[in-house]
Amino acid sequence: MTERRLVLAHLYPEHMNLYGDRGNVLALARRARWRGIGFTVQAVEVGDSWDPAAADLVFMGGGEDRQQTRIAADFLARGDRLVAALANGLPMLAVCGGYQLLGRYYRTAGGERLPGLGWFSAYTEPGAGRAVGDVVAETDLGIDPPTLVGFENHGGRTFLDGGDTRPLGRVLLGQGNNGRDRGEGAVKGRVVGTYLHGSLLPKNPHLADLLLRWALERRGQDPALEPLDAAEEWAAHAVLVGRVPGGRLTREAGKKRALERG
């Protein structure tokens, strides 16, 4: 059997790493390595040479306005090559500030307009106050269960406005993109944008595995993933889902699901 190997590009880890976002990279690396998949993490900082086409998966976390401002020009300069790779099926997960810069623009609390890559048909304006707290959203990504959980803390309000960009999920708890339309995050192709920190992937192992399968498929490698013991991850997931009024999962149900699905 051919050895499976993946390369993840972690964009701006020294600048864009709010609320444990780096934990998403750790979750992907460990879930891959536990299955015997070689997994290399390439850190890409401002000014570094990087070819997006050589990556199998991309991650970009969130940052405060000053951090976003510091990396925005460098990120925009990489735009043509990154967008071409995304259009060719390169999977990417972008959280908070990374998500905002994949839209057309992000306007900071101070009024500065930072141009984005325009991958998502979306834009972000400053809001009145911050959206802070636990979030539960229901997604149509085809994952089981269809819920995603995390923690939001953002001042921007993101609005999707058509095209082939759709919300990542429908908010059951929390504010999501803008607190108005019940949308959370965005999906286009195999690119996922979200406001969910926490870290996101340790409490959503089904999303982590979806990203890994996408990356393996793109490289023509076997996307089948052996089940892992995920009792603790699903228990954490179930705690948050249980906070939704009329929530369908209890802690016990979450643990049972973990044993049933691996």
Side-chain angles (χ1 to χ4, degrees):
M1 179 180 294
T2 303
E3 181 182 7
R4 296 183 292 177
R5 302 193 62 84
L6 294 173
V7 175
L8 178 143
H10 186 178
L11 303 187
Y12 314 112
E14 297 304 317
H15 295 84
M16 306 292 280
N17 182 38
L18 279 181
Y19 313 122
D21 285 343
R22 192 187 301 267
N24 294 302
V25 174
L26 296 176
L28 288 165
R30 289 180 182 178
R31 292 186 71 81
R33 290 168 182 163
W34 285 338
R35 294 172 166 117
I37 301 170
F39 198 92
T40 301
V41 178
Q42 177 189 10
V44 181
E45 290 290 357
V46 173
D48 287 350
S49 176
W50 177 55
D51 178 9
D56 301 306
L57 187 58
V58 180
F59 174 74
M60 184 172 172
E64 297 175 350
D65 280 0
R66 65 177 180 273
Q67 277 81 32
Q68 283 182 252
T69 300
R70 288 171 182 168
I71 64 93
D74 186 86
F75 187 56
L76 191 65
R78 304 181 189 274
D80 288 347
R81 297 178 74 187
L82 178 55
V83 166
L86 298 179
N88 194 37
L90 175 65
M92 179 172 180
L93 173 63
V95 176
C96 200
Y99 165 37
Q100 292 167 343
L101 290 177
L102 283 175
R104 289 198 300 277
Y105 70 84
Y106 165 62
R107 197 180 307 277
T108 70
E112 183 178 3
R113 188 180 188 276
L114 301 180
L117 300 194
W119 174 259
F120 291 135
S121 296
Y123 61 92
T124 303
E125 295 283 354
R130 299 189 68 79
V132 182
D134 293 327
V135 177
V136 179
E138 195 164 35
T139 182
D140 64 356
L141 281 178
I143 52 179
D144 176 30
T147 45
L148 295 172
V149 304
F151 179 82
E152 64 181 346
N153 187 346
H154 54 100
R157 301 296 189 269
T158 298
F159 298 88
L160 278 55
D161 58 357
D164 49 3
T165 299
R166 69 183 193 276
L168 170 62
R170 179 177 66 89
V171 172
L172 305 177
L173 177 71
Q175 296 193 47
N177 284 334
N178 51 59
R180 301 181 191 175
D181 58 23
R182 310 307 294 170
E184 203 298 307
V187 177
K188 176 183 173 183
R190 291 187 166 182
V191 182
V192 174
T194 181
Y195 275 115
L196 300 184
H197 296 283
S199 300
L200 170 66
L201 296 183
K203 292 190 288 292
N204 297 279
H206 51 341
L207 179 58
D209 284 353
L210 177 64
L211 292 166
L212 291 174
R213 287 196 299 271
W214 282 350
L216 290 166
E217 287 174 356
R218 181 171 179 269
R219 284 302 182 194
Q221 302 179 28
D222 181 4
L225 297 176
E226 301 83 353
L228 296 173
D229 178 6
E232 293 183 359
E233 291 91 330
W234 285 116
H237 185 102
V239 167
L240 289 180
V241 173
R243 294 175 183 169
V244 177
R248 296 183 296 277
L249 280 178
T250 64
R251 295 188 189 188
E252 290 72 26
K255 292 176 182 178
K256 182 174 183 293
R257 182 182 291 273
L259 296 174
E260 290 172 343
R261 293 202 348 267

